[in-house]
Amino acid sequence: MPDSLLSNVVVVLDEPQNLVNIAGVIRSMKNMGLARLRVVNPTEWDTWRITGIAHRSEDVVEATEHFERLEDALADCILVIGTSARPRTAPRNYGWARQWAPQILEGARAGPVALVFGREDRGLSNEALDRCDGVAMIPTDPEYSSLNLAQACLVLAYELFLAADASEGDLPRGKRYTGSATRDEMEQMFQALEGGLARIDFFNARSPESVMRIFRTLLSRAEPERQEAGLVAALGFEIQNYLDRHLPKGGSSDRPGDKPPDGVPGDTEAT
Ligand code: SAH
């Protein structure tokens, strides 16, 4: 591996359908110094055939991690970048692949960063994109924007490979830096916020899904540290706790995020 930052970049294939494409992805990863692959419910997986197409890639193939749910494949990642050929209706943090590259590598200093690729026939679902902090697009002829899965992976990996060279040296961090929030911590934060907002009837005439999507986009763009994500989660929990203390008993308590999970950081200290 030529660069240690690249060793924290995880390629995630969500429900890939074609084994030739999986092999092509692995080949492009090998070309560009990436080694960590996670696959979520591939239609087929055959080590022998894959290594027949992507020669000398046994190390990556054997180390590939298999998942049944995308959320599990992303749980430990501190930055999750989806990929898409075209912008969708919902608000997202869109950016060109080249613009994302330095930020992806900056994230890779702190922990695993996921690059998520969608299935060949319909790309990433809206729910999958909801789990992404941002969405990288490869610029193309607008009339023909959809790249082959393996080719899309190659272009993204190439951008990272080039950018890795340019991003040597550590940026200074504050003494109290708590590290970037993981995807799991981000999801806990969104759940707690949603739970709190629901209790104050914030969603009254609005769709919770669209409102939460805007909060997701906003807070993902902020790239919160663990302590910051914990503080936003605490905001959601405290709304609920306050109402529990001050309103007559009898309300439902099984809404999302009603109880803080163990170890949510940041709810005691705001600085
Ligand atoms: N028909 C699908 C395209 C799927 S292509 C659609 O319209 O969304 C398979 C995957 O390759 C996509 O999910 C995405 O991860 C990646 N991809 C293809 N073209 C891309 C592009 N121009 N920019 C970024 N990713 C792209």
Side-chain angles (χ1 to χ4, degrees):
M1 187 98 31
D3 192 296
S4 61
L5 286 184
L6 295 180
S7 67
N8 253 348
V9 175
V10 182
V11 172
V12 180
L13 302 183
D14 189 31
E15 301 184 354
Q17 297 165 292
N18 185 322
L19 190 122
V20 174
N21 286 337
I22 297 177
V25 164
I26 292 172
R27 191 170 182 140
S28 65
M29 289 174 64
K30 291 286 293 179
N31 288 140
M32 298 302 153
L34 301 181
R36 295 176 65 179
L37 178 64
R38 293 178 180 177
V39 288
V40 182
N41 287 330
T43 307
E44 37 176 0
W45 181 268
D46 177 335
T47 308
W48 189 78
R49 280 178 61 207
I50 292 174
T51 48
I53 300 168
H55 300 286
R56 295 194 295 119
S57 66
E58 287 80 3
D59 52 348
V60 174
V61 177
E62 272 152 28
T64 297
E65 297 168 276
H66 293 254
F67 294 86
E68 283 178 10
R69 301 187 319 164
L70 179 64
E71 61 200 89
D72 296 330
L74 303 178
D76 63 339
C77 295
I78 52 118
L79 179 68
V80 178
I81 302 298
T83 53
S84 177
R86 57 198 159 90
R88 318 286 178 92
T89 324
R92 310 267 178 212
N93 296 317
Y94 287 108
W96 298 118
R98 183 160 297 178
Q99 291 163 345
W100 274 118
Q103 209 169 323
I104 291 170
L105 293 172
E106 195 47 50
R109 283 182 201 288
V113 172
L115 287 183
V116 194
F117 295 88
R119 46 190 284 167
E120 291 89 333
D121 55 350
R122 50 175 190 260
L124 290 170
S125 66
N126 277 328
E127 292 67 36
L129 287 168
D130 281 346
R131 297 198 166 264
C132 299
D133 298 297
V135 182
M137 293 186 302
I138 298 163
T140 57
D141 181 335
E143 303 289 316
Y144 206 90
S145 62
S146 175
L147 273 76
N148 164 270
L149 174 59
Q151 292 169 344
C153 180
L154 175 65
V155 175
L156 251 306
Y158 176 67
E159 291 292 352
L160 291 180
F161 188 79
L162 292 186
D165 235 13
S167 59
E168 294 295 310
D170 276 337
L171 286 178
R173 299 272 193 207
K175 277 207 185 101
R176 293 190 175 181
Y177 178 63
T178 52
S180 305
T182 64
R183 178 53 26 196
D184 246 3
E185 288 161 346
M186 294 289 279
E187 293 301 328
Q188 285 169 16
M189 171 180 77
F190 292 129
Q191 279 214 350
L193 191 59
E194 185 172 353
L197 293 177
R199 290 289 299 278
I200 57 169
D201 285 339
F202 186 82
F203 300 121
N204 197 8
R206 307 173 173 106
S207 139
E209 204 189 342
S210 338
V211 171
M212 287 313 298
R213 196 163 277 146
I214 296 173
F215 276 121
R216 278 175 176 275
T217 306
L218 171 69
L219 291 167
S220 297
R221 193 159 65 232
E223 296 182 60
E225 291 180 19
R226 304 186 68 206
Q227 188 191 45
E228 293 165 336
L231 193 65
V232 177
L235 173 78
F237 293 131
E238 288 308 331
I239 291 174
Q240 302 175 64
N241 291 340
Y242 180 88
L243 293 178
D244 287 345
R245 282 198 305 273
H246 291 88
L247 286 183
K249 293 250 180 306
S252 152
S253 69
D254 43 333
R255 296 169 202 252
D258 258 7
K259 285 200 183 62
D262 289 342
V264 170
D267 53 355
T268 52
E269 193 188 356
T271 51

